PDB file of all heavy atoms in Angstrom:
ATOM      1  N   GLU A  53      -0.549   9.157   4.402  1.00 97.00           N
ATOM      2  CA  GLU A  53      -0.295  10.346   5.220  1.00 97.00           C
ATOM      3  C   GLU A  53       1.198  10.501   5.482  1.00 97.00           C
ATOM      4  O   GLU A  53       1.730  11.614   5.447  1.00 97.00           O
ATOM      5  CB  GLU A  53      -1.071  10.274   6.530  1.00 97.00           C
ATOM      6  CG  GLU A  53      -2.555  10.522   6.356  1.00 97.00           C
ATOM      7  CD  GLU A  53      -3.368  10.274   7.616  1.00 97.00           C
ATOM      8  OE1 GLU A  53      -2.809   9.781   8.632  1.00 97.00           O
ATOM      9  OE2 GLU A  53      -4.579  10.561   7.593  1.00 97.00           O
ATOM     10  N   GLU A  54       1.886   9.377   5.739  1.00 96.00           N
ATOM     11  CA  GLU A  54       3.340   9.425   5.935  1.00 96.00           C
ATOM     12  C   GLU A  54       4.034   9.932   4.676  1.00 96.00           C
ATOM     13  O   GLU A  54       4.938  10.773   4.750  1.00 96.00           O
ATOM     14  CB  GLU A  54       3.877   8.030   6.282  1.00 96.00           C
ATOM     15  CG  GLU A  54       3.472   7.525   7.642  1.00 96.00           C
ATOM     16  CD  GLU A  54       3.941   6.103   7.903  1.00 96.00           C
ATOM     17  OE1 GLU A  54       4.778   5.567   7.125  1.00 96.00           O
ATOM     18  OE2 GLU A  54       3.486   5.509   8.899  1.00 96.00           O
ATOM     19  N   LEU A  55       3.622   9.417   3.532  1.00 97.00           N
ATOM     20  CA  LEU A  55       4.230   9.840   2.271  1.00 97.00           C
ATOM     21  C   LEU A  55       3.945  11.310   1.979  1.00 97.00           C
ATOM     22  O   LEU A  55       4.839  12.045   1.541  1.00 97.00           O
ATOM     23  CB  LEU A  55       3.727   8.965   1.119  1.00 97.00           C
ATOM     24  CG  LEU A  55       4.279   7.545   1.084  1.00 97.00           C
ATOM     25  CD1 LEU A  55       3.508   6.706   0.082  1.00 97.00           C
ATOM     26  CD2 LEU A  55       5.759   7.555   0.748  1.00 97.00           C
ATOM     27  N   ALA A  56       2.721  11.749   2.220  1.00 97.00           N
ATOM     28  CA  ALA A  56       2.357  13.146   1.980  1.00 97.00           C
ATOM     29  C   ALA A  56       3.174  14.079   2.874  1.00 97.00           C
ATOM     30  O   ALA A  56       3.607  15.150   2.427  1.00 97.00           O
ATOM     31  CB  ALA A  56       0.862  13.353   2.204  1.00 97.00           C
ATOM     32  N   ALA A  57       3.413  13.663   4.121  1.00 97.00           N
ATOM     33  CA  ALA A  57       4.212  14.471   5.041  1.00 97.00           C
ATOM     34  C   ALA A  57       5.652  14.607   4.553  1.00 97.00           C
ATOM     35  O   ALA A  57       6.332  15.584   4.871  1.00 97.00           O
ATOM     36  CB  ALA A  57       4.178  13.857   6.435  1.00 97.00           C
ATOM     37  N   GLN A  58       6.095  13.632   3.766  1.00 96.00           N
ATOM     38  CA  GLN A  58       7.441  13.678   3.195  1.00 96.00           C
ATOM     39  C   GLN A  58       7.469  14.430   1.866  1.00 96.00           C
ATOM     40  O   GLN A  58       8.512  14.534   1.232  1.00 96.00           O
ATOM     41  CB  GLN A  58       7.968  12.256   2.987  1.00 96.00           C
ATOM     42  CG  GLN A  58       8.143  11.475   4.271  1.00 96.00           C
ATOM     43  CD  GLN A  58       8.528  10.035   3.998  1.00 96.00           C
ATOM     44  OE1 GLN A  58       9.230   9.716   3.043  1.00 96.00           O
ATOM     45  NE2 GLN A  58       8.047   9.136   4.841  1.00 96.00           N
ATOM     46  N   GLY A  59       6.313  14.918   1.431  1.00 97.00           N
ATOM     47  CA  GLY A  59       6.242  15.716   0.211  1.00 97.00           C
ATOM     48  C   GLY A  59       5.902  14.942  -1.046  1.00 97.00           C
ATOM     49  O   GLY A  59       5.961  15.491  -2.145  1.00 97.00           O
ATOM     50  N   TYR A  60       5.526  13.684  -0.919  1.00 96.00           N
ATOM     51  CA  TYR A  60       5.166  12.885  -2.091  1.00 96.00           C
ATOM     52  C   TYR A  60       3.705  13.078  -2.462  1.00 96.00           C
ATOM     53  O   TYR A  60       2.861  13.346  -1.608  1.00 96.00           O
ATOM     54  CB  TYR A  60       5.411  11.392  -1.825  1.00 96.00           C
ATOM     55  CG  TYR A  60       6.866  11.038  -1.710  1.00 96.00           C
ATOM     56  CD1 TYR A  60       7.460  10.888  -0.467  1.00 96.00           C
ATOM     57  CD2 TYR A  60       7.649  10.855  -2.839  1.00 96.00           C
ATOM     58  CE1 TYR A  60       8.805  10.564  -0.351  1.00 96.00           C
ATOM     59  CE2 TYR A  60       8.989  10.537  -2.737  1.00 96.00           C
ATOM     60  CZ  TYR A  60       9.555  10.393  -1.493  1.00 96.00           C
ATOM     61  OH  TYR A  60      10.887  10.074  -1.379  1.00 96.00           O
ATOM     62  N   ILE A  61       3.407  12.907  -3.724  1.00 95.00           N
ATOM     63  CA  ILE A  61       2.026  12.916  -4.205  1.00 95.00           C
ATOM     64  C   ILE A  61       1.461  11.527  -3.942  1.00 95.00           C
ATOM     65  O   ILE A  61       2.125  10.524  -4.200  1.00 95.00           O
ATOM     66  CB  ILE A  61       1.974  13.239  -5.710  1.00 95.00           C
ATOM     67  CG1 ILE A  61       2.504  14.655  -5.955  1.00 95.00           C
ATOM     68  CG2 ILE A  61       0.565  13.062  -6.260  1.00 95.00           C
ATOM     69  CD1 ILE A  61       2.698  14.984  -7.413  1.00 95.00           C
ATOM     70  N   VAL A  62       0.257  11.466  -3.410  1.00 95.00           N
ATOM     71  CA  VAL A  62      -0.364  10.179  -3.090  1.00 95.00           C
ATOM     72  C   VAL A  62      -1.671  10.014  -3.857  1.00 95.00           C
ATOM     73  O   VAL A  62      -2.284  10.995  -4.286  1.00 95.00           O
ATOM     74  CB  VAL A  62      -0.614  10.020  -1.575  1.00 95.00           C
ATOM     75  CG1 VAL A  62       0.692  10.029  -0.825  1.00 95.00           C
ATOM     76  CG2 VAL A  62      -1.536  11.087  -1.053  1.00 95.00           C
ATOM     77  N   ILE A  63      -2.075   8.769  -4.021  1.00 94.00           N
ATOM     78  CA  ILE A  63      -3.331   8.441  -4.689  1.00 94.00           C
ATOM     79  C   ILE A  63      -4.242   7.801  -3.643  1.00 94.00           C
ATOM     80  O   ILE A  63      -3.883   6.771  -3.056  1.00 94.00           O
ATOM     81  CB  ILE A  63      -3.106   7.485  -5.872  1.00 94.00           C
ATOM     82  CG1 ILE A  63      -2.200   8.143  -6.911  1.00 94.00           C
ATOM     83  CG2 ILE A  63      -4.441   7.065  -6.484  1.00 94.00           C
ATOM     84  CD1 ILE A  63      -1.772   7.219  -8.030  1.00 94.00           C
ATOM     85  N   SER A  64      -5.373   8.397  -3.410  1.00 93.00           N
ATOM     86  CA  SER A  64      -6.315   7.899  -2.418  1.00 93.00           C
ATOM     87  C   SER A  64      -6.740   6.467  -2.747  1.00 93.00           C
ATOM     88  O   SER A  64      -7.059   6.149  -3.891  1.00 93.00           O
ATOM     89  CB  SER A  64      -7.541   8.812  -2.388  1.00 93.00           C
ATOM     90  OG  SER A  64      -8.438   8.379  -1.413  1.00 93.00           O
ATOM     91  N   GLY A  65      -6.717   5.606  -1.737  1.00 94.00           N
ATOM     92  CA  GLY A  65      -7.145   4.222  -1.921  1.00 94.00           C
ATOM     93  C   GLY A  65      -6.076   3.306  -2.466  1.00 94.00           C
ATOM     94  O   GLY A  65      -6.306   2.109  -2.649  1.00 94.00           O
ATOM     95  N   LYS A  66      -4.877   3.844  -2.740  1.00 96.00           N
ATOM     96  CA  LYS A  66      -3.772   3.042  -3.257  1.00 96.00           C
ATOM     97  C   LYS A  66      -2.499   3.437  -2.534  1.00 96.00           C
ATOM     98  O   LYS A  66      -2.341   4.580  -2.122  1.00 96.00           O
ATOM     99  CB  LYS A  66      -3.580   3.273  -4.759  1.00 96.00           C
ATOM    100  CG  LYS A  66      -4.747   2.822  -5.593  1.00 96.00           C
ATOM    101  CD  LYS A  66      -4.462   2.999  -7.052  1.00 96.00           C
ATOM    102  CE  LYS A  66      -5.647   2.507  -7.877  1.00 96.00           C
ATOM    103  NZ  LYS A  66      -5.345   2.552  -9.301  1.00 96.00           N
TER     104      LYS A  66
END
Side-chain angles (χ1 to χ4, degrees):
E53 286 172 353
E54 291 176 12
L55 287 169
Q58 296 174 34
Y60 291 99
I61 296 171
V62 297
I63 299 173
S64 182
K66 296 183 179 185

